[in-house]
Amino acid sequence: MPVPVRHRRTTVGGVETFYREAGPADAPVVLLPHGYPCSSYEFRDYMRHLGERWRLLAPDFPGSGYSATPKTFAYDFDGFSAFLEDFAGSLRVGRFALYLHDFGSWIGLRLAMRDPSRIAALIVQNGDIYEDVLGPKYVGLKEIWKMDRTAGLAKLREFVSRDHFRDEFLNDVRPDLAERIPPDLWELHWPLMTEQRRDNAARIIYDLKDNLAWFPRCQAYLRQHRPPTLILWGPQDGYMPEESARAWLRDLPDAELHLLDGGHWLLETNLAEAVDLTADFLKRVHKPV
């Protein structure tokens, strides 16, 4: 049965942090770092349907959602990963299953590599760590990455707009699926974009080119530690098509791969399937009390 999601605030490393929580305090934990340009909002329904047996925790990163946007925070993947680790520590979370989606994949994997013993399992949903199978929407980004930093940031800042948010959330899905993606995703998130947040977003997207150097490290972590892994994938994704999903099997041949009829924001269009597959997986590898 669905359970309530609690909306809370805490301070993590001096940052006023908003987070969502569902489930018993003593249940096995599932940590849910969000992607761009979203927030913990992306997990709101997923949490309700898994919270009877697991404790689900989804923070808004600094500069996202309802968390603060301090000027002194390091808005890069190392900074976000350190924040995520501090967030888990502040709630006294030891071992956990980790949901990897979009930007959250690179953030979460940095945390996993720092302390593999804490990772009970991975749930991978449209998160890319294989450069040779990136989708066609990366072509435009690669052209911007060829620019010097000043020009590239200026171009990206123009790009960060309400229409851009809408395009990111719809992301090449079929019209019938697009009708199932609520406009709340861009209509609610875009008004939260202050000028500082736009600057931060441009810098993060520009610096993605440096993040590609982390991909081999992530792959090596998977090969060495072989965490139990469930792969849920929406192939209608201009950034991460079906080939991006199958690439994970190179380093995790025993992972469970499910290609669903959806796109990048699978929890909006294929929630019931994602919940059922997750529950079945976690019952086996991250057992509820």
Side-chain angles (χ1 to χ4, degrees):
M1 294 294 293
V3 303
V5 173
R6 298 178 292 279
H7 305 90
R8 294 180 163 163
R9 293 185 183 272
T10 188
T11 300
V12 179
V15 180
E16 184 183 346
T17 301
F18 174 88
Y19 69 100
R20 301 170 199 261
E21 179 173 5
D26 60 349
V29 171
V30 182
L31 194 58
L32 303 160
H34 64 81
Y36 170 85
C38 207
S39 65
S40 62
Y41 184 79
E42 73 171 277
F43 298 114
R44 65 201 182 280
D45 292 326
Y46 185 76
M47 297 172 73
R48 293 179 63 244
H49 291 280
L50 291 167
E52 187 175 8
R53 296 184 173 184
W54 292 274
R55 182 188 183 195
L56 296 105
L57 296 167
D60 286 353
F61 286 115
S64 298
Y66 299 126
S67 288
T69 311
K71 291 183 178 180
T72 55
F73 184 80
Y75 292 97
D76 56 30
F77 295 108
D78 287 335
F80 289 129
S81 182
F83 168 86
L84 185 63
E85 185 171 19
D86 289 344
F87 171 77
S90 71
L91 296 180
R92 304 191 180 195
V93 172
R95 191 167 162 83
F96 49 84
L98 186 59
Y99 195 104
L100 302 178
H101 175 236
D102 193 86
F103 279 19
S105 300
W106 310 322
I107 296 166
L109 283 171
R110 277 169 165 77
L111 173 53
M113 287 187 281
R114 281 200 300 277
D115 192 351
S117 66
R118 298 182 71 180
I119 307 304
L122 299 179
I123 303 163
V124 180
Q125 192 255 294
N126 293 67
D128 50 344
I129 60 166
Y130 295 90
E131 187 174 359
D132 63 312
V133 287
L134 298 178
K137 287 181 87 69
Y138 268 100
V139 172
L141 274 178
K142 289 179 178 178
E143 290 302 312
I144 293 175
W145 291 342
K146 293 176 183 177
M147 301 177 181
D148 66 68
R149 187 172 181 81
T150 300
L153 289 177
K155 185 69 175 177
L156 285 168
R157 201 179 189 288
E158 295 175 8
F159 186 59
V160 179
S161 64
R162 179 187 173 278
D163 288 343
H164 157 67
F165 272 33
R166 180 179 181 275
D167 290 344
E168 288 293 296
F169 284 118
L170 295 179
N171 194 359
D172 296 349
V173 297
R174 295 191 315 266
D176 62 303
L177 284 175
E179 291 178 345
R180 292 159 57 184
I181 296 177
D184 306 21
L185 285 169
W186 57 91
E187 295 291 356
L188 295 179
H189 282 91
W190 175 245
L192 298 175
M193 289 296 286
T194 62
E195 293 304 304
Q196 183 186 346
R197 287 186 172 195
R198 289 183 72 185
D199 288 340
N200 293 341
R203 286 197 299 271
I204 293 166
I205 296 170
Y206 185 81
D207 289 340
L208 283 177
K209 65 176 183 176
D210 298 324
N211 192 61
L212 299 180
W214 275 81
F215 285 9
R217 301 186 208 181
C218 295
Q219 297 158 20
Y221 159 78
L222 298 177
R223 287 194 302 273
Q224 180 179 355
H225 295 283
R226 299 289 182 95
T229 301
L230 171 69
I231 304 172
L232 305 174
W233 210 273
Q236 294 176 54
D237 185 338
Y239 291 107
M240 306 167 203
E242 179 177 334
E243 293 78 11
S244 297
R246 295 192 180 280
W248 285 76
L249 298 178
R250 300 173 189 173
D251 298 302
L252 291 173
D254 297 327
E256 301 178 27
L257 170 62
H258 299 271
L259 298 171
L260 307 183
D261 186 22
H264 190 76
W265 301 94
L266 202 63
L267 299 184
E268 301 297 335
T269 57
N270 301 74
L271 177 68
E273 292 171 282
V275 166
D276 288 347
L277 289 167
T278 301
D280 176 71
F281 172 70
L282 290 178
K283 284 176 189 175
R284 288 180 277 117
V285 303
H286 197 37
K287 295 180 181 179
V289 291

